Amino acid sequence: MRQKYGPALPPEQPDEELPEPLPTQETACLQGHDGPILAVRFNRTGTYCLTCGKDRTLRLWNPHRGVHIKSYAGHGYDVRDVCVSSDNSKLASCGGDRAVFSWDVATGRIIRKFRGHDGVANSIAYTASDEVLVTGGYDQAIRLWDCRSRSFEPIQTLKHFGDSVTSVAVADRQEHYHVHRVHSPQAASQVLGGSVDGTVRQFDVRMGMMFSDTLHESVTGIAVSHDGNCVLASCLDHSMKLLDKASGELLATYTGAIALSFTLQAVLQ
């Protein structure tokens, strides 16, 4: 509908802030791995990044200066994923040797080795407290590991998937479920997993509950928004799907990126 203004001119609207343009030029090329790189992960402030790959090593970089800082070696097979603690003092990795490694960032020393997966470990993440590690693997399971315990066994195993778990994520925040889920505010400690079986499953480890959202396409990666309200899932059909974490409602589907020789990864800024 056309709006009529007069006899005065319409009021001036404040200038909207334009988003920063996407980068279009290469600023640095980080070279050092002796084979394909399987994962790149930034620390929470974006100051440093970690890479891991087929050469069985992890490498710490200052990507803004293009400087290699340190290498970490110890895995017997390819390293599939890596994550760093919130205080940047520890990092953790997993891979083809089915093991989970905890490292001291400064010294490069291996702090702990956890074993329990029956297949390749694909993905790893710290909880918000940095006291528990979460991993997912080819054995169709998510496993939780206590970094403070002397035990090398997982403290919990979640076997509810019909195929390989490709990605894990953690959400720790004050949550309020609604719609088809539970009407109760709680301090949430939630583990999420994406799988080749086409599902994103959410586990409330404190309440002993599981919610499953079926996307009908193999999931290659998941990410939780900073406010904890949404989950972004990348799928094998070259699409990205945005879900409401509380209700499971599909909010949006993004298409256009065609990945033929690699898989899409979900990332939320």
Side-chain angles (χ1 to χ4, degrees), residues 100 116-125 127 132-145 153-170 189-197 199-205 209-211 222:
V100 178
H117 276 287
D118 298 325
V120 173
N122 291 320
S123 182
I124 190 167
T127 59
V132 176
L133 282 167
V134 180
T135 57
Y138 270 111
D139 55 1
Q140 306 177 16
I142 289 177
R143 301 180 192 271
L144 280 66
W145 317 83
E153 300 297 323
I155 56 174
Q156 191 167 3
T157 300
L158 307 171
K159 289 187 174 181
H160 299 274
F161 297 90
D163 211 320
S164 173
V165 180
T166 56
S167 182
V168 296
V170 178
S189 183
Q190 300 161 341
V191 174
L192 295 92
S195 173
V196 177
D197 66 7
T199 65
V200 173
R201 299 179 191 266
Q202 181 183 157
F203 303 89
D204 191 313
V205 296
M209 304 176 68
M210 182 194 76
F211 308 110
I222 57 172

